[in-house]
Amino acid sequence: MKDIAQVVEDTSFELLKVAATKLPSEVKETLVKGKNETKGSLGKAQMSAIVENVELAETNIKPMCQDTGLVAFFVKIGDKFPLRSEVKEILKKATERATKNVPLRPNAVDMFEGNTKTNIGLRGYVPWFYFDLVEGDKLEIIAMPKGGGSSNVGKMKMIPPGKGIKGVKEFVVEALAAAGPLACPPYTVGVGVGGGEDMCMNLAKKALLRPLYHYHEDERIAAIEKELLQTLNQLEIGAMGLGEGPSVLDVHMEFAARHPASLPVGVVISCWALRHAGATIDKDGNVEYHPH
Ligand code: SF4
């Protein structure tokens, strides 16, 4: 019989390694396509460098960027999966192990004690966990490390509800114009609309996990995603902000109900290094890695 706790730790370690060293195939393919379609020599050189960097990281199993991000896990625990409250500590153990052995850059800084050197925060919040309780006997884990540069350009605003969808679109364009070259474009943009001031940012981050060019099942939302993708590329930020090549690879939106008096909008931007990796473990410890 398998040691389920060990399987969860080993799988999470592997997910952190894969996320840091290998881009999801559709992201890589989109970057290659962007490189091939870029006309100007400056943009072409930047896109070529990004693609070469991604390929070298994958071949040598080394992080694709020196900033391996702040670690977050999206976790779905089935009500018949044998582990529950222990999962959090196991994922922290995997994070500490990955920090030493991948290696990941130590990025958890305590305001008073400094860098913990482990990627584990001293106060229990880092890594950050998004837990969901679901039916069934499986555990799904998605590891998502996110770099500081791209997190710095995230934005949230409570816009007047009367501004409606037009106001949402204007704010997304405003956020991307402000990001400009600051966070290693081409970007992928997650937008969360509704809920409260915290929920819209969580939804925006979650939206980044949807594979590129998989638009929202609600056609009205899909139409806004496609429209924003076009509009944002007209900003001509370009590869690494040089005005040539793709600015934005894709836009994904999630909507929640809102309070009648509020229209919260969260914008979470990923740099070209849109890193995440997932797996599902069943109650017997069999692991299925998600297509990557
Ligand atoms: S923004 Fe992304 S690619 Fe740029 S340094 Fe940060 S993690 Fe690396």
Side-chain angles (χ1 to χ4, degrees):
M1 197 166 142
K2 289 182 184 166
D3 176 345
I4 304 291
Q6 194 59 51
V7 172
V8 173
E9 184 190 320
D10 292 347
T11 306
S12 310
F13 170 82
E14 191 61 26
L15 291 177
L16 287 166
K17 184 167 83 177
V18 169
T21 59
K22 190 175 173 203
L23 276 184
S25 54
E26 95 278 359
V27 179
K28 186 176 158 190
E29 281 158 22
T30 306
L31 288 170
V32 171
K33 185 168 174 277
K35 177 192 94 170
N36 293 339
E37 288 174 357
T38 297
K39 298 275 186 293
S41 58
L42 280 176
K44 192 93 165 172
Q46 291 301 324
M47 289 304 294
S48 300
I50 290 171
V51 169
E52 190 187 347
N53 184 59
V54 169
E55 282 167 354
L56 279 171
E58 188 175 333
T59 308
N60 297 316
I61 321 179
K62 297 283 181 213
M64 66 190 79
C65 178
Q66 41 76 33
D67 182 356
T68 52
L70 204 63
V71 175
F73 289 104
F74 290 79
V75 183
K76 287 183 187 164
I77 305 186
D79 50 20
K80 294 192 182 62
F81 189 76
L83 302 176
R84 302 179 71 77
S85 59
E86 304 96 313
V87 169
K88 208 169 167 180
E89 284 311 310
I90 295 169
L91 295 185
K92 283 187 182 174
K93 221 167 145 187
T95 302
E96 203 165 344
R97 210 173 118 195
T99 303
K100 276 200 199 114
N101 298 330
V102 172
L104 305 179
R105 192 175 82 179
N107 277 338
V109 177
D110 187 81
M111 282 299 284
F112 303 96
E113 307 295 334
N115 197 320
T116 65
K117 312 277 191 214
T118 57
N119 274 316
I120 308 293
L122 296 180
R123 295 158 210 280
Y125 297 122
V126 170
W128 185 252
F129 297 96
Y130 299 81
F131 279 112
D132 201 357
L133 299 174
V134 296
E135 285 184 3
D137 57 9
K138 294 183 176 160
L139 173 74
E140 181 191 276
I141 304 167
I142 298 175
M144 188 189 201
K146 193 162 186 305
S150 72
S151 289
N152 287 347
V153 293
K155 287 229 178 325
M156 183 267 157
K157 191 173 182 181
M158 307 297 288
I159 64 175
K163 289 202 166 181
I165 294 290
K166 186 167 175 283
V168 171
K169 291 180 198 166
E170 283 170 0
F171 177 58
V172 175
V173 175
E174 194 184 300
L176 267 291
L182 296 175
C184 303
Y187 300 131
T188 301
V189 181
V191 183
V193 182
E197 62 276 44
D198 51 350
M199 202 195 295
C200 69
M201 289 303 277
N202 286 346
L203 286 174
K205 193 161 180 182
K206 199 171 173 189
L208 288 175
L209 295 175
R210 205 187 318 145
L212 298 185
Y213 309 116
H214 284 57
Y215 293 106
H216 201 283
E217 58 193 11
D218 184 325
E219 286 178 8
R220 294 163 296 184
I221 299 174
I224 303 170
E225 291 173 331
K226 290 176 195 169
E227 182 191 329
L228 276 171
L229 177 60
Q230 275 207 339
T231 310
L232 295 176
N233 273 304
Q234 284 162 9
L235 292 173
E236 295 187 347
I237 296 167
M240 299 307 280
L242 291 169
E244 295 173 354
S247 304
V248 173
L249 302 180
D250 210 358
V251 180
H252 295 161
M253 303 180 84
E254 292 295 336
F255 281 63
R258 61 178 177 82
H259 186 281
S262 309
L263 181 41
V265 186
V267 179
V268 175
I269 298 172
S270 173
C271 55
W272 60 261
L274 176 56
R275 292 166 286 190
H276 54 82
T280 302
I281 304 168
D282 72 16
K283 66 175 178 14
D284 301 315
N286 300 307
V287 182
E288 191 184 332
Y289 286 95
H290 300 173
H292 191 82

